[in-house]
Amino acid sequence: GVTATKDPLDRNQFGGAFGGPVKKDQTFFFVSYSGLRQEETYYRNSAVVPTALERAGDFSQSALKPRDPVTGQPFPGGIIPSARFDVTAKNIQDKFVPQSNLPNNFYEVRRPDPLNTDEATLKLDHRVSATQTVALSYFYQKGTDTQPLSLTGNIPWVDRDFKWTQHNVNLAHTWTLGSNKINQFRASYMRQFGGRVNNPTTSLSDLGSKFTLQGDPTLPRLTVTGYFTGQTSIAGPDAGSDYFGIKDAISISRGKHSFKFGADLSYEKIVHDTQLDNYGVFAFNGSKTGNAYADFLLGLPSTMTQDAPVRKTDNGAYISLFAQDDFKVHPRVTLNLGVRYDLQFPFTDPQDRKLAFVPGQKSVVSPTAPTGLLFPGDTGVSRGIVKTDINNVAPRLGIAWD
């Protein structure tokens, strides 16, 4: 279809920066801020909503006349008695299924999609001595992105707010050890967490159903073939990580050689909290009565699925070492020689919930588990499940010709 009016895009970005000396020739600061306020409009006009007659159970004017799923015969006059309506379906219809606003019973929905972010930076540079400097920086960001009409949804149903916050702290120390030696040390910490939260927080149990929900409440995902889709996206109120890193490198110049040696160590704690399809996924396709919307009014889905929420946690460490030499073999030719060693430890779950499968082996940790399903602590099964790969040596050879 064609939209009735022009969809707006409003974008406002603003900010500022300021810096200067705290102590002349020794300590300096810098601060900045940036904000974004953006809103665009999403729309869908592919939904077909029930007529006023169909909402009352009267399908006498509909192309597809429903049959009674109990008798297999058509409903007399094409009318479903109101006493046969499913209570929950009736509540959903009255509260969430809109009336037509386009010809031929089509419905157009418009929803704002706002994106708001705020960023701030603080940096301090300090000269400790003639040979040492220290730099400390902090970065902060927060944002909210409202995602309407998730995926294929085409009626006002569930909006998902994605909210996140990020903190970065970096410390750098530079030390000139001599006329040909310099050492650079870096330490960093980053915390980034976000949440996907669905609105409204109305579930089937609030609408008269005995449906049992695990996790945060919201409307189910609902598809009525030939009519509309009420789309709900997977939520997760908590996901992100804490990252800790240390790096050190020393550079040495000696004759035709420029050596560099260093190490990198990091540790990360990851959390991924997801509700999955905890709200229930229902499809009505006319397989019960011959008319999909009649199936819906009677509360007879063709399929229904539901997931249980899960909170996944992983901790992992990484170590790397490197050495390199830029060897000037000729005034116009330089060889780049290097070697790197990487050690990535397998991620582990603090609660040891990882699984492995070895055909024919019986678990000792959980004797009632099916044969072949193993857990950390079983023979040959470590906390990280896989073995640590310790042979990651990467040599490097390059040539630069001027």
Side-chain angles (χ1 to χ4, degrees):
V2 179
T3 58
T5 60
K6 183 178 180 180
D7 295 318
L9 169 61
D10 294 323
R11 180 182 175 91
N12 297 288
Q13 193 166 10
F14 47 90
F18 178 69
V22 176
K23 187 174 182 180
K24 186 178 180 181
D25 297 330
Q26 188 172 20
T27 307
F28 303 86
F29 80 96
F30 175 82
V31 294
S32 68
Y33 167 78
S34 176
L36 173 66
R37 301 295 182 266
Q38 175 179 296
E39 182 172 305
E40 55 185 317
T41 301
Y42 277 70
Y43 76 93
R44 300 283 191 277
N45 57 14
S46 58
V48 176
V49 293
T51 65
L53 290 175
E54 290 173 335
R55 297 172 73 96
D58 186 347
F59 293 84
S60 60
Q61 306 300 313
S62 304
L64 298 175
K65 307 296 191 295
R67 61 179 180 273
D68 190 330
V70 177
T71 65
Q73 301 300 313
F75 281 101
I79 299 174
I80 300 175
S82 59
R84 296 280 299 273
F85 287 4
D86 180 81
V87 173
T88 304
K90 181 66 164 55
N91 286 332
I92 291 175
Q93 172 185 266
D94 293 346
K95 295 181 179 181
F96 296 103
V97 180
Q99 304 279 353
S100 171
N101 59 7
L102 291 177
N104 300 317
N105 262 50
F106 278 90
Y107 177 80
E108 179 178 279
V109 56
R110 294 170 173 272
R111 302 288 278 199
D113 177 21
L115 171 63
N116 300 325
T117 64
D118 294 284
E119 299 178 358
T121 301
L122 169 64
K123 186 177 181 182
L124 295 172
D125 292 284
H126 178 66
R127 183 180 296 276
V128 180
S129 67
T131 59
Q132 297 186 62
T133 60
V134 175
L136 177 66
S137 65
Y138 171 67
F139 172 78
Y140 171 78
Q141 183 190 62
K142 71 172 184 178
T144 301
D145 183 7
T146 298
Q147 302 165 336
L149 304 177
S150 303
L151 302 175
T152 58
N154 53 16
I155 63 171
W157 195 251
V158 173
D159 293 341
R160 185 173 71 175
D161 286 337
F162 177 50
K163 299 181 179 181
W164 71 93
T165 304
Q166 179 177 333
H167 303 268
N168 291 66
V169 180
N170 295 284
L171 173 67
H173 176 255
T174 303
W175 190 0
T176 303
L177 299 169
S179 60
N180 67 335
K181 301 182 186 70
I182 186 170
N183 189 84
Q184 294 176 303
F185 172 81
R186 300 284 187 274
S188 60
Y189 168 71
M190 181 178 74
R191 177 178 176 85
Q192 181 175 12
F193 273 84
R196 298 162 294 161
V197 180
N198 284 330
N199 291 299
T201 56
T202 302
S203 70
L204 285 175
S205 60
D206 299 317
L207 297 167
S209 173
K210 296 180 180 180
F211 181 85
T212 301
L213 184 74
Q214 300 183 61
D216 296 341
T218 194
L219 291 172
R221 188 181 304 161
L222 195 70
T223 301
V224 183
T225 302
Y227 286 84
F228 58 83
T229 297
Q231 185 61 259
T232 305
S233 292
I234 292 174
D238 192 20
S241 70
D242 287 294
Y243 172 88
F244 307 84
I246 295 176
K247 300 179 182 180
D248 191 78
I250 183 169
S251 301
I252 303 173
S253 296
R254 182 171 296 168
K256 297 180 179 181
H257 297 271
S258 295
F259 301 104
K260 193 170 186 178
F261 308 93
D264 184 350
L265 295 83
S266 65
Y267 183 75
E268 187 170 16
K269 301 171 65 175
I270 301 173
V271 174
H272 190 185
D273 191 358
T274 176
Q275 302 290 317
L276 299 175
D277 291 331
N278 69 311
Y279 36 71
V281 180
F282 298 82
F284 301 87
N285 63 6
S287 60
K288 307 300 182 181
T289 68
N291 183 294
Y293 197 75
D295 286 5
F296 169 71
L297 280 181
L298 293 170
L300 301 175
S302 57
T303 60
M304 178 271 171
T305 60
Q306 182 190 17
D307 296 330
V310 62
R311 183 178 179 85
K312 180 182 178 182
T313 54
D314 283 303
N315 298 339
Y318 168 80
I319 299 174
S320 72
L321 305 171
F322 75 90
Q324 72 177 49
D325 177 22
D326 289 329
F327 179 25
K328 203 170 189 67
V329 297
H330 184 274
R332 299 181 61 184
V333 180
T334 302
L335 290 181
N336 178 253
L337 309 173
V339 62
R340 183 181 184 91
Y341 177 69
D342 293 288
L343 185 60
Q344 174 70 67
F345 295 95
F347 279 90
T348 60
D349 183 342
Q351 300 180 49
D352 288 331
R353 295 173 296 177
K354 293 186 180 293
L355 309 175
F357 184 81
V358 178
Q361 184 173 338
K362 189 69 177 175
S363 173
V364 177
V365 174
S366 181
T368 58
T371 299
L373 188 62
L374 305 179
F375 306 86
D378 282 322
T379 302
V381 182
S382 65
R383 295 189 66 211
I385 305 300
V386 298
K387 295 181 179 180
T388 303
D389 188 357
I390 60 174
N391 64 346
N392 297 312
V393 179
R396 182 177 73 251
L397 172 63
I399 184 170
W401 185 7
D402 183 6

